[in-house]
């Protein structure tokens, strides 16, 4: 990113007109959102802002000084008013009286809730004392790539003074906490004219007497760093290129092959979702001479490595002589080595009260000439981890271009990664949903049953790829589901299930989007009705193409992925009562459905040894939301039963044993059951969801 914008300065976006009518807390919110809107100013979720505001105490009616500061969690770019904590400044100052020294600084976090103003439920963050003790009304703390590049240089103190003179000070590395707050206060007292301070290996503090002044100082200081790098860092990035960049299509093809295999090797503890990034900043790094040595040094800013782990895994792949087969064969050992190194790091650095070692797998996988793959417990985390590593790449590019880049000392990194306060935060996280980290592909995903199924799986935390041939419906379904669950959870692919090439390419897109596959819901369908003597060969073939061949093609592709991924798999076919029970005037449809059901049985048999389960749901007469039931099939059925189309739903309800209508959500529930671990010991089964129909009882 630095690369793309290197010439561009940050714009001053402050609008006096907009700010004119705002209260101080509103101006703080305005400033925060402006700062967070540009990733060059701070990374996602990183940094925080504050204002000290005079307010009326709700209890005494007196005017008191209140610290408004970004609370725990959230992101300054998207924070709303309720994202700020509010605390009494006099109580925060009083905390100094009970501070027992740096070795007890963590206990100060427990006192912060006692300082809460106005019963604000937003928890105060660990950075609160940093803002409280800077004796200025408005304080910004940002993680700008250009400043961290200075902060992570070997001679960062010297560089800071060279670039900023006395305006910006420098403090050595110190883990954020109570003690660092006192350091900042001391710095301000000793340097009353300073406008800010660079924190070694970390980021930037700036301040001002007004919200506008604080904002403009932050922008100005970062711009000065950007300009300085522009004139000083003129050599080739990362010491020059030593490997070729593959063409975009080849990069994607390699990533599609690597991602499911990596995923299978690292998903034993929890299912992981992947993200692929081959942006220019990444490509510059993964083709450079410095890739291995710089990657080994690890990331610097604590925010970065909490998300990316201390260092990435550089995949053994030579873009000059691409042989992905060799790379794939070497992955198990490479990943085992990474895990062993991580365990050794834990062993070297752990303290008596350290939490148990967490998942020892890498988050970031760098593939020379191809790009970066990240894996995490969900898509958003994988995507954000990639963004953070791009921040780290920008930092390494700047620092190594003007000085020597230094990572954080290992013990400091460990102490942050395994901080008891961080562990407490993890322990408070809600239990993951039943399909968290699972990836599903649903064919016919834009139709009634398909969309209801996607919705049900996403409710349980799954990522879903909607596959359909109806582009308009597909777009609408994706918009609807991403509005409900977030855009990270859903993708769509145009897929004609009868085309071998379309199926292969659609599954490839799914792999690139999420890194693997756990669940295939084969649901694309049609229905036709004609007496056998009137059934044309074309009509017969159409049924067989979609319902038999189409199910074969998508299953074959899913099986190939499952076998490469080596983490089991799950296939659910949406068949029909008519696959078991004969129905008048629909021989092509019924026969194709019977073929589909028997295919499921064969696949259940073949997949079992690889923990691949295959089951069938048999719906009957699901009219609502169905595309099958909007066409001539509805009229044909009504004609066959000699009734009006509006009478069909009631007809089917009355025909059922339970006298109930069957809805898409009912089918989705059965599919969810079969796709989840609740049915972990079932394969080769058929679940009828038809409100009862004696003809289709399985036997
Ligand atoms: Zn920070």
């Amino acid at each position: 990113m630095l690369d793309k914008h290197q010439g561009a300065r940050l714009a001053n976006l402050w609008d006096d007109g907009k700010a004119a009518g705002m209260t101080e807390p509103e101006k703080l919110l305005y400033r925060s959102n402006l700062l967070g809107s540009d990733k060059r100013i701070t990374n996602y979720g990183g940094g925080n802002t504050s204002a000290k505001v005079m307010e009326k105490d709700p209890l005494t009616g007196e005017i008191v000084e209140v610290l408004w500061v970004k609370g725990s969690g959230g992101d300054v770019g998207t924070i709303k008013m309720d994202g700020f904590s509010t605390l009494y400044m006099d109580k925060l100052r009083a905390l100094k009286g009970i501070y027992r020294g740096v070795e007890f600084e963590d206990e100060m976090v427990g006192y912060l809730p006692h300082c809460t103003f106005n019963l604000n439920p937003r928890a105060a963050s660990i950075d609160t004392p940093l803002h409280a003790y800077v004796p200025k009304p408005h304080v910004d703390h940002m993680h700008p790539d250009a400043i961290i590049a200075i902060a992570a240089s070997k001679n960062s103190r010297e560089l800071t003074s060279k670039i900023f003179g006395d305006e910006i000070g420098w403090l050595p590395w110190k883990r954020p906490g109570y003690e660092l707050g006192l350091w900042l206060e001391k710095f301000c007292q000793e340097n009353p004219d300073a406008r800010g301070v660079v924190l070694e290996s970390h980021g930037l503090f700036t301040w001002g007497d007004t919200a506008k002044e604080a904002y403009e100082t932050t922008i100005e200081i970062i711009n000065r760093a950007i300009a300085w790098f522009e004139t000083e860092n003129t050599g080739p990035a990362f010491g020059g290129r030593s490997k070729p960049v593959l063409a975009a299509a080849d990069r994607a093809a390699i990533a599609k092959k690597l991602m499911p295999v990596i995923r299978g090797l690292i998903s034993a503890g929890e299912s992981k979702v992947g993200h692929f990034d081959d942006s220019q900043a990444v490509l510059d790094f993964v083709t450079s001479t410095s890739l291995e040595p710089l990657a080994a040094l690890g990331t610097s800013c604590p925010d970065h490595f909490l998300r990316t782990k201390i260092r990435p895994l550089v995949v053994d792949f030579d873009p000059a002589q691409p042989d992905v087969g060799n790379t794939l064969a070497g992955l198990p050992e490479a990943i085992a080595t990474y895990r062993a190194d991580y365990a050794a790091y834990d062993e070297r650095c752990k303290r008596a009260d350290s939490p148990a070692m967490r998942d020892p797998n890498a988050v970031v996988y760098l593939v020379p000439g191809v790009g970066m793959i990240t894996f995490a417990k969900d898509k958003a985390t994988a995507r954000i981890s990639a963004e953070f590593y791009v921040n780290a790449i920008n930092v390494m590019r700047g620092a190594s271009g003007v000085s020597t880049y230094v990572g954080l000392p290992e013990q400091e990194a460990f102490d942050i990664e395994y901080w008891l306060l961080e562990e407490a935060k993890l322990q408070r996280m809600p239990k993951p949903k039943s399909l968290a980290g699972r990836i599903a592909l649903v064919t016919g995903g834009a139709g009634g049953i398909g969309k209801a199924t996607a919705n049900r799986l996403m409710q349980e935390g799954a990522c879903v790829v909607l596959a359909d041939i109806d582009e308009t419906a597909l777009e609408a379904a994706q918009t609807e589901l991403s509005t409900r669950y977030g855009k990270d959870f859903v993708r769509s692919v145009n897929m004609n299930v009868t085309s071998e090439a379309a199926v292969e390419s659609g599954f490839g897109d799914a792999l690139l989007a999420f890194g693997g596959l756990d669940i295939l819901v084969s649901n694309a369908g049609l229905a036709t009705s004609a007496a056998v003597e009137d059934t044309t060969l074309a009509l017969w073939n159409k049924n067989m193409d979609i319902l038999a061949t189409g199910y074969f093609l998508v299953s074959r592709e899913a099986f190939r992925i499952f076998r490469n991924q080596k983490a089991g798999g799950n296939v659910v076919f949406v068949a029909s009562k008519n696959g078991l029970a004969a129905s008048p005037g629909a021989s092509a449809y019924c026969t194709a459905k019977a073929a589909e059901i028997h295919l499921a049985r064969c696949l259940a048999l073949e997949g079992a040894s690889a923990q691949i389960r295959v089951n069938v749901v048999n719906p009957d007469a699901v009219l609502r939301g169905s595309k099958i039931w909007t066409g001539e099939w509805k009229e044909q059925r009504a004609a066959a039963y000699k009734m009006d189309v509006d009478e069909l739903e009631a007809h089917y309800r009355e025909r059922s044993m339970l006298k109930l209508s069957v809805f898409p959500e009912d089918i989705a529930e059965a599919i969810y059951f079969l796709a989840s671990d609740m049915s972990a010991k079932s394969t080769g089964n058929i679940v009828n969801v038809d409100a009862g129909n004696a003809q289709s009882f399985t036997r």
Side-chain angles (χ1 to χ4, degrees):
M1 257 186 290
L2 190 64
D3 159 79
K4 201 166 86 197
H5 299 286
Q6 208 156 29
R9 301 291 189 278
L10 303 173
N12 181 345
L13 301 173
W14 189 273
D15 181 342
D16 279 325
K18 262 189 193 165
M22 290 182 183
T23 63
E24 284 303 335
E26 284 165 353
K27 278 187 216 168
L28 171 65
L29 177 67
Y30 176 53
R31 177 175 114 223
S32 306
N33 292 162
L34 286 185
L35 290 170
S37 66
D38 193 326
K39 294 279 176 286
R40 289 172 294 168
I41 299 175
T42 204
N43 54 300
Y44 175 83
N48 28 56
T49 47
S50 69
K52 299 178 182 80
V53 181
M54 300 311 289
E55 303 223 28
K56 192 169 166 184
D57 189 319
L59 208 56
T60 64
E62 281 172 37
I63 301 298
V64 292
E65 190 182 12
V66 175
L67 175 72
W68 283 69
V69 59
K70 192 199 122 187
S72 193
D75 172 63
V76 284
T78 52
I79 192 172
K80 301 202 168 51
M81 223 37 139
D82 66 359
F84 292 97
S85 310
T86 49
L87 306 98
Y88 287 99
M89 273 304 297
D90 58 349
K91 291 190 184 186
L92 286 166
R93 290 191 188 102
L95 292 182
K96 288 183 194 170
I98 52 170
Y99 182 48
R100 297 196 289 153
V102 64
E103 60 271 45
F104 303 103
E105 68 168 345
D106 285 359
E107 73 186 17
M108 300 310 284
V109 175
Y111 292 113
L112 293 176
H114 292 276
C115 305
T116 304
F117 172 79
N118 205 15
L119 304 176
N120 183 348
R122 173 64 58 182
S125 89
I126 191 78
D127 284 357
T128 302
L130 282 57
H131 287 263
Y133 296 146
V134 169
K136 305 283 175 184
H138 301 271
V139 180
D140 289 339
H141 165 49
M142 298 287 123
H143 295 160
D145 292 346
I147 297 286
I148 305 178
I150 297 164
S153 286
K154 198 174 177 184
N155 55 340
S156 86
R157 177 174 211 161
E158 187 191 319
L159 288 181
T160 305
S161 112
K162 195 159 143 191
I163 302 166
F164 301 109
D166 293 336
E167 277 178 76
I168 299 291
W170 181 91
L171 288 174
W173 161 256
K174 177 86 204 149
R175 190 174 75 174
Y178 195 82
E179 183 74 12
L180 183 58
L182 297 180
W183 283 20
L184 281 161
E185 180 180 45
K186 183 161 176 276
F187 171 83
C188 290
Q189 285 161 350
E190 291 170 356
N191 302 276
D193 296 329
R195 302 167 71 198
V197 60
V198 167
L199 305 179
E200 185 186 25
S201 293
H202 182 168
L204 177 69
F205 261 85
T206 34
W207 44 75
D209 289 330
T210 64
K212 182 182 176 182
E213 189 194 320
Y215 170 78
E216 291 184 337
T217 301
T218 305
I219 298 294
E220 183 200 323
I221 297 301
I222 300 170
N223 271 339
R224 253 202 268 170
I226 292 173
W228 185 83
F229 276 104
E230 215 172 286
T231 50
E232 296 295 320
N233 189 13
T234 50
F238 305 111
R241 178 164 288 177
S242 65
K243 304 160 190 79
V245 179
L246 297 185
D250 297 332
R251 299 199 295 269
I254 299 289
K256 282 175 210 172
K257 291 206 168 88
L258 294 178
M259 289 174 88
V261 176
I262 295 173
R263 180 171 187 260
L265 289 166
I266 62 170
S267 286
E270 65 174 4
S271 278
K272 296 203 169 65
V273 183
H275 183 77
F276 177 61
D277 181 339
D278 59 351
S279 60
Q280 195 55 48
V282 172
L283 290 175
D284 284 345
F285 185 50
V286 300
T287 52
S288 73
T289 44
S290 312
L291 168 63
E292 280 86 1
L294 278 177
L297 289 177
T299 54
S300 171
C301 179
D303 251 32
H304 295 173
F305 69 71
L306 273 177
R307 294 276 195 163
T308 62
K309 279 239 166 69
I310 183 155
R311 58 182 60 90
L313 188 159
V314 180
V315 174
D316 183 14
F317 176 77
D318 181 2
Q321 285 163 322
D323 178 0
V324 75
N326 250 340
T327 303
L328 290 171
L331 276 175
E333 201 192 321
I335 286 170
T337 304
Y338 185 96
R339 283 200 282 249
D341 287 349
Y342 187 85
Y345 151 76
D346 180 74
E347 197 54 45
R348 278 195 302 278
C349 300
K350 72 178 175 194
R351 298 173 188 275
D353 58 349
S354 289
M357 185 177 83
R358 302 196 194 105
D359 182 3
N361 290 298
V363 172
V364 179
Y365 300 80
L366 300 174
V367 190
V370 173
M372 165 171 65
I373 295 163
T374 48
F375 275 103
K377 66 181 167 60
D378 56 49
K379 177 70 183 182
T381 311
R383 176 179 56 73
I384 293 165
S385 301
E387 281 177 21
F388 277 41
Y389 201 76
V390 171
N391 287 122
I393 287 173
N394 291 337
V395 166
M396 290 187 281
R397 181 173 183 159
S400 66
V402 298
S403 173
T404 301
Y405 168 79
V406 278
L408 206 57
E410 185 177 77
Q411 185 66 52
E412 288 294 327
F414 179 89
D415 287 347
I416 289 199
E417 194 175 347
Y418 284 90
W419 205 346
L420 292 173
L421 296 171
E422 194 65 35
E423 174 72 8
K425 225 193 267 178
L426 292 176
Q427 297 298 340
R428 283 197 300 269
M429 301 259 274
K431 200 170 152 274
K433 294 177 180 170
S434 68
L435 295 181
R438 307 288 172 90
I439 301 158
L441 187 145
V442 182
T443 71
I449 291 174
K451 198 172 73 179
T453 300
N455 183 68
R456 187 68 186 93
L457 301 180
M458 289 172 79
Q459 238 173 34
E460 295 298 329
C463 295
V464 174
V465 179
L466 305 168
D468 210 296
I469 47 168
D470 183 341
E471 194 65 51
T472 316
L474 200 52
E475 234 184 271
Q478 185 177 357
T479 305
E480 182 188 326
L481 292 169
S482 60
T483 307
R484 200 171 302 148
Y485 298 104
K487 62 178 172 47
D488 282 313
F489 284 90
V490 59
R491 294 287 183 278
S492 60
V493 291
N494 191 308
M495 188 195 287
N496 173 357
V497 296
T498 67
S499 153
E500 202 169 10
V503 167
E504 199 179 317
S505 120
F507 276 79
D509 290 349
L511 291 182
L512 206 55
F514 294 124
L517 186 75
D518 302 295
I519 299 162
L520 163 66
V521 180
S522 187
N523 160 69
L526 86 163
T528 65
S529 178
V532 66
E533 61 274 22
D534 300 329
T535 299
T536 61
L537 180 58
L539 189 69
W540 173 268
N541 282 342
K542 196 175 174 188
N543 278 277
M544 295 306 279
D545 280 351
I546 295 175
L547 302 175
T549 309
Y551 279 58
F552 151 69
L553 285 176
V554 295
S555 301
R556 187 180 68 176
E557 207 57 35
F559 263 61
R560 285 173 177 168
I561 294 170
F562 292 156
R563 291 206 188 273
N564 282 332
Q565 199 175 240
K566 295 191 174 72
N570 208 308
V571 178
V572 183
F573 278 7
V574 178
S576 165
K577 177 207 79 182
N578 296 103
L580 296 173
S583 189
S587 55
Y589 176 71
C590 295
T591 307
K593 279 292 179 187
E596 187 193 314
I597 290 174
H598 205 61
L599 173 63
R601 294 188 183 109
C602 296
L603 297 182
L605 190 67
E606 263 193 53
S609 60
Q611 298 296 315
I612 302 168
R613 300 193 289 121
V614 184
N615 291 288
V616 175
V617 174
N618 270 351
D620 186 35
V622 180
L623 278 71
R624 188 193 292 172
S626 167
K627 281 191 281 178
I628 292 170
W629 284 93
T630 52
E632 49 187 23
W633 167 258
K634 200 171 185 174
E635 278 146 32
Q636 288 163 351
R637 288 285 93 186
Y641 296 122
K642 298 185 173 49
M643 60 180 61
D644 206 70
V645 286
D646 299 335
E647 295 169 307
L648 272 177
E649 189 165 327
H651 163 76
Y652 284 115
R653 185 170 59 238
E654 289 314 311
R655 193 182 72 176
S656 74
M657 289 162 52
L658 298 171
K659 308 289 179 215
L660 293 169
S661 293
V662 183
F663 300 121
E665 293 72 23
D666 302 320
I667 310 304
E669 196 60 35
I671 293 170
Y672 162 56
F673 171 73
L674 291 172
S676 76
D677 294 344
M678 286 189 294
S679 62
K681 295 176 185 175
S682 290
T683 191
N685 268 326
I686 298 172
V687 175
N688 287 326
V689 186
D690 55 6
N693 186 313
Q695 248 196 311
S696 54
F697 283 179
T698 53
R699 56 189 73 84

